[in-house]
Amino acid sequence: MNQEYVEKAVAHYKELLLSQIERADRMNNVERPEKKAKTVIGVLGGDGIGPIITLQAQRALEALLKDEIAAGTMEIRPIEGLTIENRLAVNKPIPDDVLAAVKECDVLLKGPTTTPSGGTMESANVAMRRELDLYANIRPVQVPEEGIDWTFFRENTEGEYTLGSKGIEIPGVLTMDFKVTTIAGTRRIARAAFEFAKKNGKTHVAIVTKSNIMKKTDGMFSAICHEVAAEYPDIQVDEYFIDIMCANLLKPALRKTFQVILLPNLYGDIITDEAAQIQGGVGTAGSANAGDRYAMFEAIHGSAPRMIARGMGNYANPESILRAAVMMLRHIGLTEKAEKLDAAITKAQEVCPITGTVEGHTCQEFGETLAAMLG
Ligand code: IPM
Ligand code: MG
């Protein structure tokens, strides 16, 4: 009985290996997009509190970009259908029509999507990152009064995530998942982190792995990052293991020395929630998923099904998705508008605080306050 499973698993493994070699080859042959006269911003609501918070971000963008929209250089295009119900109905992490519509856009603002745990349904986020090859997950965290100004560069397409829904099971005995690290995939995220550091006057990059245990994958991630680092002699490079780095983020004197933090996918996922909590909660941080052709901006939190179940969806905090919208404006070169939105969000939080409870304001009230400030 086991023998049969083993043979199936070996055949499955061979297929995975070949598909990953092919992916690595594709990374070495990417096409650079041409600049277009019009930038299309696709807006995807997602699930749970997603449509509620995303709608207010869309309003803010419409107010902020009204001249560009009127002149035809920008378009805000809502895309329906990226819901858990539709995904389960077609048994695909992104329904085909949604993916086709997404690929017609340049940048995307996306609400959180629900990921069923277990089963084989892949996360819509992970699928989107793969389909659009959004390899850099950039997550800034700031606590100005403490001197904290971190930018995480999390590799976004490989590691434990690439084959996370394609593991092996020998029923009643064991399960096995795979972690994949490619040279091309590591080089491009390392390059993105060091280029960001150089362009933004950052003098320190911390490489974070668990290469003492994950010897092949993290060992290579670390080696390639150091290879790229050698091209940036003015930037100081330190290396930490992920466990101690999680502790370091809680040490006030040390943590303010970190600037750019470069790390593989899963560690980046975990530590950015910790970092966001230090900033004030996962509801406060935005996230960019950038590739060479597309970029997607989102809240770092999930769809909050418990909040919806308690009938509290209208009290969801749109701050994280709005901070993501700020990052999106910066990404498309609208730096002044980005600063304006950023400042307005902070101001709106003062006059119309959202607490996630009935004592605070609703998401819609917050959105109205904000749009009025931007209009
Ligand atoms: C994030 C989220 C996602 C991830 C989930 C929703 C798939 O936690 O963007 O950090 O694990 O990457
Ligand atoms: Mg996460």
Side-chain angles (χ1 to χ4, degrees):
M1 180 62 174
N2 276 353
Q3 190 53 31
E4 195 185 307
Y5 280 113
V6 168
E7 264 150 40
K8 265 201 201 144
V10 170
H12 177 67
Y13 180 67
K14 182 172 177 189
E15 228 173 78
L16 296 182
L17 194 55
L18 293 174
S19 77
Q20 293 306 301
I21 293 171
E22 204 183 293
R23 188 174 63 81
D25 282 346
R26 274 202 307 274
M27 268 186 271
N28 291 320
N29 298 306
V30 283
E31 287 168 33
R32 305 274 150 186
E34 285 166 28
K35 192 118 187 72
K36 297 199 294 185
K38 178 160 101 175
T39 302
V40 180
I41 303 174
V43 179
L44 299 134
D47 303 307
I49 60 167
I52 301 170
I53 57 171
T54 308
L55 182 64
Q56 300 311 323
Q58 184 182 329
R59 282 177 78 173
L61 287 173
E62 280 164 356
L64 201 59
L65 299 174
K66 60 179 182 311
D67 294 343
E68 289 77 4
I69 293 170
T73 56
M74 289 270 163
E75 181 188 332
I76 297 182
R77 190 181 291 175
I79 299 172
E80 303 298 329
L82 189 68
T83 60
I84 182 72
E85 294 79 12
N86 279 354
R87 284 182 281 135
L88 289 173
V90 298
N91 196 28
K92 284 190 172 172
I94 309 170
D96 292 343
D97 55 333
V98 175
L99 186 58
V102 156
K103 287 190 172 170
E104 294 293 308
C105 300
D106 301 292
V107 291
L108 301 157
L109 188 67
K110 185 187 125 321
T113 43
T114 299
T115 307
S117 47
T120 53
M121 172 63 81
E122 190 182 32
S123 134
N125 258 21
V126 174
M128 199 74 88
R129 290 166 184 169
R130 187 190 52 245
E131 289 292 339
L132 307 181
D133 205 18
L134 306 172
Y135 60 85
N137 187 194
I138 307 158
R139 298 185 157 176
V141 166
Q142 284 153 352
V143 187
E145 57 281 17
E146 274 206 52
I148 291 176
D149 185 1
W150 300 325
T151 309
F152 292 86
F153 274 75
R154 160 190 178 192
E155 200 295 317
N156 211 22
T157 50
E158 320 196 323
E160 297 79 354
Y161 279 67
T162 329
L163 299 176
S165 309
K166 302 217 164 118
I168 282 172
E169 180 170 3
I170 310 287
V173 187
L174 61 77
T175 48
M176 201 183 267
D177 282 319
F178 303 104
K179 168 162 174 165
V180 188
T181 301
T182 64
I183 293 179
T186 307
R187 195 165 278 142
R188 65 186 185 173
I189 185 68
R191 174 85 53 213
F194 280 96
E195 277 300 303
F196 169 86
K198 187 173 151 190
K199 287 196 187 116
N200 291 279
K202 309 282 180 197
T203 52
H204 187 206
V205 173
I207 300 165
V208 180
T209 67
K210 188 76 184 173
S211 59
N212 51 340
I213 303 299
M214 292 278 102
K215 291 185 190 282
K216 287 278 181 242
T217 48
D218 286 2
M220 195 188 74
F221 187 92
S222 164
I224 300 288
C225 288
H226 282 287
E227 213 179 281
V228 173
E231 294 171 41
Y232 300 82
D234 298 335
I235 297 176
Q236 186 201 327
V237 175
D238 279 309
E239 183 153 8
Y240 297 91
F241 293 135
I242 181 64
D243 46 354
I244 195 64
M245 193 61 180
C246 289
N248 287 345
L249 292 196
L250 302 178
K251 286 187 191 157
L254 183 59
R255 69 184 177 186
K256 61 176 176 230
T257 66
F258 299 130
Q259 296 177 349
V260 176
I261 300 138
L262 166 60
L263 66 190
N265 207 341
L266 185 60
Y267 311 139
D269 174 47
I270 297 167
I271 206 171
T272 52
D273 270 18
E274 183 196 0
Q277 191 59 41
I278 291 168
Q279 175 178 265
V282 291
T284 65
S287 168
N289 299 268
D292 293 323
R293 164 74 184 85
Y294 299 99
M296 177 175 84
F297 300 81
E298 59 184 352
I300 92 160
H301 56 75
S303 57
R306 279 185 290 264
M307 204 163 180
I308 294 289
R310 282 189 285 119
M312 291 293 291
N314 290 337
Y315 291 90
N317 190 349
E319 183 172 349
S320 180
I321 190 102
L322 283 162
R323 300 282 180 202
V326 171
M327 296 181 81
M328 185 181 80
L329 292 168
R330 277 201 196 108
H331 179 86
I332 55 183
L334 300 178
T335 317
E336 263 173 48
K337 304 246 184 217
E339 301 315 324
K340 186 172 173 189
L341 179 58
D342 205 30
I345 299 166
T346 305
K347 185 95 193 95
Q349 280 288 26
E350 280 161 27
V351 296
C352 189
I354 294 230
T355 57
T357 66
V358 288
E359 277 87 59
H361 287 271
T362 64
C363 187
Q364 188 178 339
E365 285 162 354
F366 185 88
E368 273 158 17
T369 307
L370 187 66
M373 285 175 178
L374 299 168

